[in-house]
Amino acid sequence: MKLQLAIDLEDVQGAIDLIQKTKDSIDIFEYGTPLVINFGLEGLKKIRAEFPDITLLADLKIMDVASYEVNQAFAYGADITTILGVAEDQSIKDAVKAAHEAGKELLVDMIGVQDIATRAREIDAFGADYIGTHTGYDLQALGQDPFETFNIVKNNVSNTKTAIAGGIKLTAAEEIKSANPDLLIIGGAISTVDDPATAAAEFKKLLG
Ligand SMILES: O=C([C@H](O)CO)[C@H](O)[C@H](O)COP(=O)(O)O
């Protein structure tokens, strides 16, 4: 199981400081959607310049013009980018093709998908690298978590690596272990605490 830190901060220097503090424990750093909104891909380029060797995911949550946007993410330094599972089939197929032609990876984010089992099987057939079960902030605020949906996804894919995200805290250790995703994505539970380095190390220890 790999650990991804979602950096949903509102400034690039804060992201750089957070990477510096946590890099011993994190496998993949996510240039989060708030950074994309505030600084575009120029912020990603700055982070790549500071850290040439880390694995960077750009959380673009692409919906259309997939080949172009996927390639832009890679041109600015990403190793992985994201498209929404609710996008058109053609967009997801184009995104997979563009990512693989570039020698990079694509994560399909299932946020907002209603028929999880059917869409998971379809995305599995499209050849995406990761399928991400994701309870967004707006549903976290209503008390929802991603674990039940994750199991539906896991039972409906054969080739695609599984990822899980959405308000996951260390107190969910037993659920994390039982879900056993290929990629555990943690944001606020590391980035908003007083000691992010220790929090990241605790998650890493849990992954074994
Ligand atoms: O993708 C995310 C969200 O939509 C905001 O952009 C978060 O990165 C994801 O939910 C993980 O962060 P936490 O929920 O804070 O763990």
Side-chain angles (χ1 to χ4, degrees):
M1 200 189 306
K2 284 189 176 176
L3 179 59
Q4 177 170 313
L5 171 56
I7 307 177
D8 291 316
L9 304 180
E10 290 176 6
D11 72 295
V12 174
Q13 190 53 50
I16 289 170
D17 295 344
L18 186 60
I19 294 169
Q20 197 62 52
K21 283 182 194 152
T22 56
K23 64 180 165 38
D24 291 344
S25 305
I26 301 298
D27 300 298
I28 300 173
F29 288 96
E30 172 185 327
Y31 183 74
T33 314
L35 288 166
V36 176
I37 296 290
N38 287 319
F39 306 102
L41 291 171
E42 288 296 338
L44 179 70
K45 195 173 170 184
K46 278 189 196 155
I47 292 174
R48 172 54 78 207
E50 288 281 331
F51 302 99
D53 299 325
I54 62 172
T55 301
L56 267 174
L57 174 145
D59 192 14
L60 298 194
K61 295 188 173 80
I62 293 167
M63 192 65 189
D64 192 20
V65 209
S67 317
Y68 173 75
E69 295 184 4
V70 161
N71 279 318
Q72 285 299 95
F74 300 144
Y76 280 77
D79 302 292
I80 311 167
T81 192
T82 63
I83 188 166
L84 296 179
V86 294
E88 300 288 355
D89 292 359
Q90 190 58 47
S91 302
I92 298 176
K93 288 178 190 170
D94 287 352
V96 169
K97 186 165 179 274
H100 292 173
E101 280 176 0
K104 308 280 185 177
E105 291 192 309
L106 184 80
L107 184 151
V108 180
D109 185 332
M110 295 287 276
I111 192 168
V113 171
Q114 300 303 313
D115 183 349
I116 296 286
T118 303
R119 197 61 175 147
R121 287 195 296 274
E122 290 167 352
I123 285 159
D124 195 45
F126 296 158
D129 299 281
Y130 290 95
I131 182 165
T133 306
H134 182 192
T135 302
Y137 285 179
D138 298 342
L139 292 188
Q140 289 177 36
L142 303 180
Q144 297 190 21
D145 72 52
F147 289 103
E148 201 179 320
T149 306
F150 175 83
N151 285 329
I152 300 173
V153 170
K154 197 170 176 179
N155 290 333
N156 282 282
V157 296
S158 341
N159 303 309
T160 318
K161 291 177 276 189
T162 57
I164 187 167
I168 300 172
K169 308 216 171 358
L170 259 181
T171 48
E174 287 313 313
E175 286 158 294
I176 294 167
K177 279 196 257 178
S178 137
N180 194 25
D182 296 298
L183 181 60
L184 174 67
I185 304 173
I186 305 294
I190 294 176
S191 64
T192 65
V193 299
D194 289 342
D195 184 354
T198 301
E202 283 170 353
F203 273 106
K204 188 68 186 169
K205 193 168 157 206
L206 178 73
L207 271 48

